[in-house]
């Protein structure tokens, strides 16, 4: 494909940013990569691992001269970072983000983007439960979706960002921010909350039965513990910023759960059988759509992005 941008600045150097950096290198999508993270440890790891050419202790310094700026910090930190970099953005540059929530990020970031700079929010639906600069890998986005929220952004800038994600082998789709937040509340945010809850419940029980829960944990519970190991800062921010959609889906979830609870109490096997038959069909649909491909085995578990 060749280079899509001259200089790319990665703000935040965790799982997503490091995976972008590695993928840029792998596919030759940019001439140089600048980076910024809060801690010196993450910045030096980015140089050591080779996914940044230069790192900066200040986000404002990191974005100077960049053609593409990728905000890859927790959702709750996006606004402050945007305020810091706003005055230093190069005219004609594109600013995007990878945040798991879109309406709140747009509200926090857009006011700081100066005229003449294109702001095109995004969200790659790919990730693992691991975090930090050492957890990224170049193939994270392959055959995964990346959602762009272009709004009224310049079509040429949007086409370029689309080409960038496609260069990392992602499939790109455009979406409205409200719709994004509702879809993600169903497909990712609420399931994560349920996993956190289930692990919390088991932990209470474990105190009663010593180590039995962990010792005999079968695949189902192990999957929950893997999801529940996801980064606490990131997920705190997701729920605080996608509040309405998550509460809506949780309300629906609670209703369904109560119906199943009632079926169990009443011995209504037909209800349970019909319900599980429907959910099995949904699972088969996901597999047929190619959305359950395993990640390369780096001991990271399967891709499971928010
Ligand atoms: P991560 O691995 O925890 O990395 C976060 C990075 O942001 C770290 O490098 C951290 O710096 C930096 N950071 C945090 N606060 C900052 C601040 N105020 N100023 C500058 N840098 C700051 O997180 P991640 O998983 O890559 O997630 C990044 C974004 O991608 C989040 O918005 C998340 O919602 C989104 N996302 C995540 C996934 C996923 O599965 N993980 C999937 C799709 C989208 P230090 O290293 O110095 O602490």
């Amino acid at each position: 494909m060749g280079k899509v941008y001259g200089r790319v600045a990665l703000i935040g150097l965790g799982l997503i940013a490091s995976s972008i950096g590695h993928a840029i290198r792998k596919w030759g999508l940019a001439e140089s990569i600048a980076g910024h993270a809060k801690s010196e440890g993450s910045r030096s790891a980015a140089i050591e691992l080779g996914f940044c050419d230069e790192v900066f202790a200040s986000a404002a310094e990191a974005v100077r001269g960049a053609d593409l700026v990728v905000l890859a910090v927790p959702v709750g930190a996006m606004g402050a970072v945007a305020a810091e970099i706003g005055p230093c953005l190069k005219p004609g540059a594109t600013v995007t983000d990878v945040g798991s929530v879109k309406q709140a990020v747009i509200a926090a970031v857009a006011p700081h983007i100066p005229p003449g700079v294109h702001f095109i929010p995004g969200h790659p639906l790919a990730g693992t439960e691991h975090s930090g600069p050492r957890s990224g890998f170049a193939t994270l986005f392959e055959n995964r979706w990346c959602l762009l929220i272009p709004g009224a952004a310049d079509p040429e800038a949007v086409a370029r960002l689309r080409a960038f994600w496609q260069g990392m082998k992602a499939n790109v789709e455009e979406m409205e921010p409200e719709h994004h937040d509702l879809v993600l509340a169903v497909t990712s945010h609420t399931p994560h909350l349920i996993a956190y809850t289930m692990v919390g419940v088991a932990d209470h029980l474990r105190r009663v039965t010593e180590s039995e829960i962990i010792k005999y944990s079968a695949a189902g519970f192990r999957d929950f513990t893997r999801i529940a190991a996801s980064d606490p800062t990131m997920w705190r921010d997701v729920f605080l910023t996608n509040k309405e959609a998550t509460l809506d889906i949780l309300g629906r979830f609670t209703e369904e759960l109560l119906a199943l609870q009632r079926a169990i109490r009443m011995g209504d096997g037909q209800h349970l059988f019909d319900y599980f038959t429907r959910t099995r069909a949904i699972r088969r649909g996901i597999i047929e759509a190619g959305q359950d491909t395993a990640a390369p085995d780096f001991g990271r578990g399967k891709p499971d992005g928010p």
Side-chain angles (χ1 to χ4, degrees):
M1 166 171 282
K3 304 212 182 327
V4 183
Y5 293 102
R7 188 169 177 82
V8 173
L10 303 173
I11 306 302
L13 297 172
L15 168 70
I16 300 298
S18 60
S19 296
I20 292 174
H22 289 303
I24 290 174
R25 296 281 202 228
K26 178 174 180 182
W27 298 106
L29 300 172
E31 271 158 30
S32 64
I33 309 173
H36 160 76
K38 267 185 314 180
S39 67
E40 161 54 28
S42 293
R43 296 196 295 269
S44 50
I47 296 293
E48 180 205 319
L49 296 165
F51 68 83
C52 283
D53 298 296
E54 279 180 279
V55 288
F56 298 85
S58 111
E61 285 300 315
V63 304
R64 275 187 206 286
D67 304 291
L68 175 70
V69 176
V70 183
L71 305 180
V73 297
V75 167
M78 296 274 183
V81 166
E84 189 189 338
I85 64 171
C88 304
L89 292 165
K90 175 170 142 178
T94 291
V95 175
T96 190
D97 77 290
V98 294
S100 307
V101 176
K102 294 283 51 105
Q103 292 175 95
V105 168
I106 293 169
V109 172
H112 304 292
I113 305 298
V117 172
H118 311 290
F119 177 42
I120 310 168
H123 180 197
L125 305 188
T128 73
E129 71 277 23
H130 299 282
S131 53
R134 296 183 187 278
S135 58
F137 51 102
T139 53
L140 178 64
F141 308 111
E142 289 187 11
N143 197 31
R144 313 297 289 183
W145 288 105
C146 179
L147 303 177
L148 295 182
I149 320 291
D154 171 49
E156 262 183 47
V158 176
R160 208 156 161 211
L161 186 60
R162 177 184 274 271
F164 178 70
W165 280 104
Q166 286 170 339
M168 293 190 283
K169 309 299 168 209
N171 304 311
V172 180
E173 196 100 328
E174 293 182 12
M175 214 178 247
E176 294 296 320
E178 300 78 12
H179 190 61
H180 169 279
D181 289 356
L182 183 62
V183 168
L184 268 290
V186 178
T187 57
S188 170
H189 304 168
T190 309
H192 270 78
L193 198 69
I194 293 164
Y196 280 123
T197 314
M198 194 58 222
V199 173
V201 168
D203 187 47
H204 286 151
L205 280 179
R206 189 171 63 90
R207 291 194 179 126
V208 181
T209 63
E210 302 290 308
S211 60
E212 270 194 336
I213 301 273
I214 302 302
K215 186 170 166 190
Y216 300 124
S217 75
F221 182 66
R222 272 204 302 270
D223 284 348
F224 275 139
T225 61
R226 180 177 59 74
I227 295 171
S230 302
D231 187 66
T233 304
M234 174 186 145
W235 283 97
R236 177 202 62 197
D237 287 3
V238 165
F239 292 117
L240 291 180
T241 56
N242 199 18
K243 194 170 170 177
E244 272 177 39
T246 311
L247 288 178
D248 176 14
I249 301 307
L250 264 182
R252 291 163 196 252
F253 174 80
T254 311
E255 284 171 22
E256 300 274 315
L257 191 65
L258 285 174
L260 289 175
Q261 189 177 328
R262 185 166 194 280
I264 292 170
R265 190 185 310 286
M266 305 302 281
D268 187 349
Q270 192 62 49
H271 180 95
L272 296 174
F273 184 84
D274 291 347
Y275 200 93
F276 301 155
T277 303
R278 281 208 310 278
T279 54
R280 176 184 249 191
I282 292 170
R283 167 68 188 164
R284 288 185 172 155
I286 291 171
I287 292 170
E288 277 160 25
Q291 288 302 306
D292 192 37
T293 48
D297 186 9
F298 297 138
R300 294 182 172 88
K302 283 184 183 173
D304 187 38

